[in-house]
Amino acid sequence: MRFLLPLALLLLPHLALAASSPSYHSSRDEVRLISAANQADNGQVTLALDFKLKPGWHIYWRDPGDAGFPPSVSADAPTALGPIAFPPPEFFSQAGIGAYVLSGHVVLPFTASHVSGDQVSVQAHWLVCSDQCVPEHADFTLPLTGGASAEAGLFPAGPSIVPSPYPAHLSADGTLCLTGVSASQVKTARFFPDSASVLVNDAPQPLSFDTGGLALRLKLAGPPPAKLSGVVELTDPSGQTQALSLTATPAPPASHAPWWLLALAGGLILNLMPCVFPVLAMKAAAFARMGGAAHGHIRREALGYTAGILLSMAVLGGVLLGLRAAGIGAFWGFQFQSPIFVALAAWVILAAGLSLAGLFHLSMPGFIGRIPAQHSFFTGLLAVLVATPCTAPFMGAAIAAALAMAPLPAMGLFLALGLGLALPILVLAAVPHLAAALPRPGRWMMVAQKILAVPMFATFLWLGWVLFRQAGLPGLALLGLGALALGLALPRRPVFALLVLVLLPFFHAAPAADALSLPDAKPYSAAALAALRADGKPVFIDLTAAWCITCQVNERSTLASATVQKLFKDKHVTVLVGDWTDRNPAITALLTANHRAGVPLYLYYPPGGGQPVKLPQILTPGIVSAALSG
């Protein structure tokens, strides 16, 4: 005994002692608080709720699905508790309700910090269910007596849910694709979302395989989200299951599509869009200046104009791709969502109009004046500026494809779009007979330039209306003050006109009401669409913006026409309008899900379910009628 007592005292710190609170007991479960260690390390200790659930009873995962709520823990200050680490869930279905649950022996670890003293106290709440559900709660106090913990073996040695090594994409129809997974690896699969509202949770998830990998057909509860995160459980033929966390992004467009050709065609058609009228005015003025000139001079001016367009497109494309790489949702025309950019663009357009009207002549300072074809170059820069509020046919799909590509091919698509925009002038430079047909300069040119200034002033007024929608009367007053300063400074000392830039920091976005420019329309939201679809009602969605001229023309010429309004009424179609004048994450998500790089977007959801019909970006009453009748 003389030797055993010192030996026992020596081994005591190394003995595994119980690290558990008294248990909570019910006829449904037994719950206690356990610790991975019997003492805090720098005020921190790993704890867990240890559930032993009776057969037929379950608790809920972090996303409970259609019913229930997950277990939660709290503690009195200064103790702080980290999030619960949930194991992979089980799927539970009952009477049309789909839930994500945990059953049997469940350990839910979490971290407690700022722990002081020789004990830690935690309050826990949970819901336990079988044929009925019972909310339960308990206050647990766990003594920290030092030494090793006898419960340490209950804690998982590593995470039970690991990041997926497979790229994941979500198609517009709800198909979740995991690239690189073969049929020999997986017998069954189930996806558990992080958000309960994104899926019809009780719906089956048919599994299939193709040359690309695994596909799970999910039933979406609404429009496809911009990103879908959750856990996919893959069970192999031997019955072993692995749980993988993933975030699925929208599936890229098919790689075989001739996107560069669509971009080129979109840029060419952009010349005919209403927002490009000011560009046509500038082109007409350039034609007049080149009349009677040598063909070499005309070619030099055309190449200068093209270089300006391509540089603008490269900068715009680089900014778009850079913002998206940084996780910021940016689309075609996104810059017009900023009141500062709208004001700056309006002043530039006004200055161009004043120059065309003959109020002043813009001379290029310093080295800029020595650049060949500098006027045509800056006209090309300005052409892209005023063209961005428009979306031409083919163009939206091409830009959406670019935003899903690697940077280098994506930049190629933006340059192809710019090349299409510059193509008419390039054709003029390439065909001498066309250049020779240009009228010679004369006094008529001064009158023509004044007439061509009118579209520029009209564009300035339109941008003023856009700014009023974004920044209210204060923004409109600042815009008018800057316009007055430009009108006074440009004819005298153009350099003083730069002083208007000091006004830019004072432009602030003001909350605006939803722009419901169509009769009997309602504001778009994912929840509103889901509710209407659940009732089996037909829905027409109009995603628009005040700065999108294509949208405004479509609404006035087609959607607000008596013919289409009567069609909506006769077929009991609910019209949802999504206003993207300012940033709106719900609208951005719907654009992304439909592989659109900007507004307009028109969707028709037929009655009784089914996939939506995507309408063209240029509408006529006949196109809308055909979509609703199909």
Side-chain angles (χ1 to χ4, degrees), residues 420-463:
L421 184 61
L423 199 56
I425 294 294
L426 285 176
V427 171
L428 180 72
V431 182
H433 295 295
L434 291 177
L438 291 173
R440 295 181 178 274
R443 294 186 60 184
W444 66 270
M445 202 169 129
M446 301 301 296
V447 177
Q449 283 195 188
K450 288 181 171 60
I451 295 174
L452 293 173
V454 173
M456 306 299 261
F457 296 140
T459 302
F460 172 77
L461 294 176
W462 164 66
L463 288 174

Side-chain angles (χ1 to χ4, degrees), residues 360-376:
F360 78 104
H361 175 69
L362 181 61
S363 58
M364 301 298 172
F367 75 95
I368 297 178
R370 293 191 292 272
I371 298 176
Q374 72 270 15
H375 282 283
S376 291

Side-chain angles (χ1 to χ4, degrees), residues 20 36 90 103 178 239 266 271 341 457 460 476 512 619:
S20 170
E90 309 162 23
S103 62
L178 270 64
N271 285 280
F341 183 87
F457 296 140
F460 172 77
L476 193 60
L619 295 181

Side-chain angles (χ1 to χ4, degrees), residues 488-514:
L488 294 174
L490 287 175
R492 296 169 178 81
R493 290 289 184 91
V495 69
F496 288 167
L498 295 177
L499 293 176
V500 300
L501 299 180
V502 303
L503 298 176
L504 292 178
F506 297 97
F507 286 93
H508 300 288
D514 293 311

Side-chain angles (χ1 to χ4, degrees), residues 340-488:
I340 292 177
F341 183 87
V342 171
L344 184 60
W347 287 334
V348 171
I349 295 292
L350 177 63
L354 293 174
S355 178
L356 283 172
L359 270 71
F360 78 104
H361 175 69
L362 181 61
S363 58
M364 301 298 172
F367 75 95
I368 297 178
R370 293 191 292 272
I371 298 176
Q374 72 270 15
H375 282 283
S376 291
F377 177 80
F378 283 100
T379 300
L381 296 178
L382 192 56
V384 174
L385 172 68
V386 300
T388 47
C390 269
T391 304
F394 309 122
M395 183 178 135
I399 294 176
L403 297 179
M405 290 180 177
L408 192 60
M411 189 59 69
L413 285 190
F414 280 103
L415 293 178
L417 180 64
L419 189 63
L421 184 61
L423 199 56
I425 294 294
L426 285 176
V427 171
L428 180 72
V431 182
H433 295 295
L434 291 177
L438 291 173
R440 295 181 178 274
R443 294 186 60 184
W444 66 270
M445 202 169 129
M446 301 301 296
V447 177
Q449 283 195 188
K450 288 181 171 60
I451 295 174
L452 293 173
V454 173
M456 306 299 261
F457 296 140
T459 302
F460 172 77
L461 294 176
W462 164 66
L463 288 174
W465 173 71
V466 173
L467 189 64
F468 173 72
R469 288 281 315 280
Q470 293 176 320
L473 282 174
L476 193 60
L478 286 172
L479 182 70
L481 180 61
L484 180 61
L486 286 177
L488 294 174

Side-chain angles (χ1 to χ4, degrees), residues 53 82 146 170 246 255 282 313 318 375 396 423 475 569:
L53 295 153
L170 181 68
L246 58 82
S255 59
M282 290 183 286
M313 281 294 181
H375 282 283
L423 199 56
K569 185 176 180 180

